[in-house]
Amino acid sequence: MIALKSKRPVNLPLSQVISVNLKSPVAIASILHRISGVVLFLLIPALLYVLQRSLASPQEFDVVHNEIFGNICVRLIVWVFLAGLIYHLFAGIKHLLADVGVAEELQSGRNASWIMLALSGIGIVAAFIWVVL
């Protein structure tokens, strides 16, 4: 009797999956794109509330500007939102370019991911300097 190879899926340990994916800039970019989308989704309601309060009256704007944004924790939350927005923007542009046929091959996709990671890193550092410092 001939032994057939099983076609059942193989469950790999999470450590092996993570170690393989951390070597690929495309995988890192994809995972971070999903994480930035979740961060944006979770922070939008809070920032819309602060925006609504600041637009209510000139006095409320002063309260939001001086008291709320005077707190370093609030500025860090705003920076996290901006970091997610910047990263999501660059990753979205990379995906749109791939949809029209730019950087679809393996090596060009890796290069595009490195470029996107570098540009978003520069933007995130600039946002930190602008908002937090």
Side-chain angles (χ1 to χ4, degrees):
M1 180 178 267
I2 300 173
L4 297 175
K5 186 176 179 181
S6 174
K7 294 187 180 186
R8 296 181 62 190
V10 176
N11 294 322
L12 299 174
L14 184 59
S15 60
Q16 185 178 358
V17 172
I18 290 173
S19 68
V20 168
N21 284 332
L22 286 180
K23 296 175 185 170
S24 169
V26 178
I28 293 169
S30 177
I31 292 166
L32 289 176
H33 188 226
R34 292 179 180 140
I35 292 171
S36 68
V38 170
V39 166
L40 291 175
F41 178 76
L42 294 176
L43 288 178
I44 281 176
L47 292 176
L48 283 176
Y49 170 73
V50 172
L51 177 65
Q52 176 199 9
R53 249 186 100 183
S54 71
L55 295 175
S57 68
Q59 294 79 18
E60 282 292 316
F61 177 81
D62 289 336
V63 168
V64 168
H65 183 263
N66 296 327
E67 294 179 17
I68 295 176
F69 282 106
N71 186 350
I72 188 71
C73 292
V74 173
R75 288 190 296 186
L76 283 173
I77 291 170
V78 170
W79 173 71
V80 167
F81 177 79
L82 283 176
L85 188 64
I86 290 167
Y87 186 85
H88 208 73
L89 173 72
F90 281 113
I93 290 170
K94 181 185 128 354
H95 281 291
L96 287 174
L97 289 173
D99 286 344
V100 296
V102 176
E104 282 186 321
E105 293 79 29
L106 181 63
Q107 191 57 42
S108 62
R110 285 182 180 160
N111 292 339
S113 292
W114 281 119
I115 292 168
M116 185 269 308
L117 288 168
L119 289 175
S120 60
I122 292 168
I124 289 169
V125 169
F128 181 82
I129 292 169
W130 178 49
V131 172
V132 179
L133 299 182

